[in-house]
Amino acid sequence: MQEVEVITTAGNMIYMDHAATTQVREEVLEAMLPYLRGSYGNPSSIYTLAQEARKAVDESRETVARILGCRISEVVFTSGGTESDNMALKGPAFALRHLGNHVITTNIEHHAVLHSCHQLEQFGFEITYLPVDENGLVDPDDVGRAITDSTVLVSVMLANNEIGTIEPVAEISKIVKQEAKRRGRTVVFHTDAIQGAGFLDIDARSLGADLMSLSAHKFHGPKGVGALYVRRGTPFEPQMMGGGQERERRSGTENVAGIFGMAEALRLAADEREEVAARCTRMRDRIVSEICDSVGDVLVNGHPTRRLPNNVNISFQGVDGEPLLQSLDFAGICASSQSACSSASLEPSHVLLAIGLTADQAQGSLRLTLGRENTDEDVDYLLSLLPGLVGKLRAMPSLSAVE
């Protein structure tokens, strides 16, 4: 077979789309390689080669559990954030459907949660989609008021992937537990912490979560692997059936290299969290301040202070986001306008519409999400280009005007 040369321009690009994915760290890749080559056994087998793989999975589970502040047995490895979210909703919902059929979430969740809720509706569940305020915050009291005698599950994300707003998850969890106790019933609480890992404290006990979703490729781990924290005693019906792996909660031969890489990436992210968060916050605030000063008619989306350290989301009046992204790409900057899972859609972001933006304002949004590799020089370059690009796009006649 003829070799195909793979050409990449990544070395010449400034990457500001870390909410979409991150580059696998060199240390993580090196940690994974032995389980792609020599120690490639199936962890369920009994011979030495297989037990080397089993040891790697066990050590990884210990690492993840330590960072989450939970028991080793409460960590379930998955294929990524989407599966973790699907399991977190459907597992408890189906396990408790004999007690109730009501689920509460918000209207700004990731589609992995929202579409799981839509599927649950097809099975007879009733879903309450709570609104958020103009900053993207859900009112904890709204959650408490929404709980009924048929509620079995509440799911509220830790931090929004588009606008970066950090939700009051610990407070919401406390209200859920108090209301469940008052009513004498079981209400399970899940938080999607996929965007928070690497920037926020994700101690499961402190957050009060019964279930919590993670995805390795959001914190410089490999794609195709994630984790779901399931608190001991949480009602849970498996969604993947087969060989009974992961204590019969998620069957399937373990992705040993991916799991080991995820644990190493999470360990490194936890060790560096405060330093990276502080540096990203400084760069984030500079970007927001200088854009607001140099470009008129802009909206900063998301909470002004209660937001992820690396997230900038701005709408430019009179600018379509797609040509702006193309212009930045041509200039060597990777950015986005909404969730990577929705970027191919022509529909405006459901998150931006939920916080009160018009469709035109939502279509003119730019999301910049910084990471550990970004530098002040990257920010200098971005800020030297952006005002001019916005000005040129605003000066162009709109399609309606041409017609």
Side-chain angles (χ1 to χ4, degrees):
M1 180 183 295
Q2 183 179 0
E3 287 191 8
V4 178
E5 183 182 4
V6 178
I7 300 175
T8 176
T9 58
N12 300 319
M13 301 293 290
I14 293 175
Y15 189 74
M16 293 187 173
D17 198 19
H18 289 80
T21 195
T22 58
Q23 183 182 38
V24 176
R25 292 181 60 158
E26 188 64 32
E27 308 97 307
V28 172
L29 178 60
E30 291 297 324
M32 293 172 62
L33 287 177
Y35 305 100
L36 293 168
R37 293 173 175 163
S39 301
Y40 57 83
N42 187 322
S44 297
S45 299
I46 63 172
Y47 41 79
T48 301
L49 183 67
Q51 289 308 298
E52 291 174 356
R54 168 54 55 194
K55 182 181 179 184
V57 172
D58 291 344
E59 290 177 353
S60 299
R61 202 182 309 276
E62 291 175 7
T63 298
V64 174
R66 175 175 54 80
I67 293 167
L68 299 187
C70 68
R71 296 179 176 91
I72 295 171
S73 61
E74 294 173 325
V75 176
V76 180
F77 290 119
T78 71
S79 65
T82 294
E83 185 186 356
S84 293
D85 280 345
N86 273 253
M87 288 171 57
L89 271 74
K90 299 173 194 174
F94 285 124
L96 291 168
R97 58 184 162 180
H98 63 291
L99 298 178
N101 68 338
H102 182 227
V103 175
I104 300 169
T105 189
T106 79
N107 58 5
I108 63 166
E109 300 294 313
H110 190 278
H111 281 123
V113 168
L114 294 178
H115 290 174
S116 292
C117 287
H118 297 164
Q119 186 178 27
L120 287 173
E121 288 177 309
Q122 297 174 17
F123 285 90
F125 285 86
E126 296 179 0
I127 314 295
T128 296
Y129 300 94
L130 294 175
V132 295
D133 67 15
E134 67 276 8
N135 292 319
L137 280 175
V138 62
D139 186 341
D141 289 333
D142 284 350
V143 178
R145 285 188 288 265
I147 295 175
T148 70
D149 285 336
S150 61
T151 304
V152 294
L153 174 69
V154 175
S155 179
V156 178
M157 67 196 331
L158 177 59
N160 187 265
N161 51 302
E162 294 192 29
I163 59 175
T165 297
I166 301 169
E167 300 295 343
V169 165
E171 184 179 354
I172 291 170
S173 173
K174 184 177 180 180
I175 289 175
V176 170
K177 299 307 177 186
Q178 289 174 342
E179 189 64 22
K181 183 178 181 180
R182 187 180 73 83
R183 294 174 179 270
R185 59 181 297 103
T186 299
V187 181
V188 174
F189 180 68
H190 163 251
T191 188
D192 174 346
I194 289 169
Q195 288 294 332
F199 290 102
L200 304 177
D201 182 3
I202 53 172
D203 182 277
R205 297 293 193 269
S206 299
L207 293 172
D210 298 308
L211 302 106
M212 182 166 59
S213 306
L214 299 176
S215 184
H217 77 102
K218 302 297 187 180
F219 46 85
H220 298 280
K223 296 176 180 65
V225 61
L228 178 65
Y229 158 74
V230 183
R231 184 181 59 81
R232 188 172 67 174
T234 300
F236 187 84
E237 186 172 307
Q239 302 301 297
M240 296 282 285
M241 312 303 292
Q245 289 89 348
E246 298 299 300
R247 295 176 181 260
E248 298 188 352
R249 294 168 297 189
R250 197 274 185 188
S251 292
T253 301
E254 296 91 341
N255 174 6
V256 180
I259 288 169
F260 201 74
M262 175 181 181
E264 179 65 5
L266 189 60
R267 182 189 68 80
L268 291 168
D271 289 347
E272 300 172 0
R273 178 170 65 89
E274 292 186 3
E275 176 190 348
V276 173
R279 188 154 47 83
C280 285
T281 298
R282 178 174 53 78
M283 290 189 288
R284 177 202 70 187
D285 291 348
R286 181 187 166 203
I287 291 172
V288 172
S289 176
E290 295 197 21
I291 287 178
C292 290
D293 288 344
S294 60
V295 182
D297 292 326
V298 299
L299 289 173
V300 180
N301 303 314
H303 197 280
T305 57
R306 192 184 175 98
R307 69 186 301 133
L308 288 171
N310 70 327
N311 179 284
V312 175
N313 191 305
I314 294 182
S315 293
F316 298 92
Q317 188 70 30
V319 173
D320 188 344
E322 185 174 351
L324 177 57
L325 292 177
Q326 291 173 340
S327 298
L328 287 172
D329 182 41
F330 186 76
I333 299 174
C334 299
S336 67
S337 59
Q338 56 181 315
S339 168
C341 300
S342 306
S343 60
S345 171
L346 297 177
E347 295 297 318
S349 160
H350 71 285
V351 175
L352 297 180
L353 295 180
I355 63 174
L357 270 65
T358 66
D360 286 343
Q361 289 171 330
Q363 292 283 26
S365 67
L366 173 67
R367 182 185 72 173
L368 301 163
T369 44
L370 306 167
R372 60 187 295 274
E373 308 94 344
N374 288 124
T375 65
D376 289 326
E377 288 72 25
D378 294 343
V379 175
D380 290 341
Y381 181 60
L382 168 74
L383 294 173
S384 71
L385 290 174
L386 198 54
L389 293 177
V390 172
K392 287 181 181 179
L393 292 172
R394 283 176 171 169
M396 294 174 62
S398 66
L399 183 59
S400 59
V402 173
E403 293 175 347

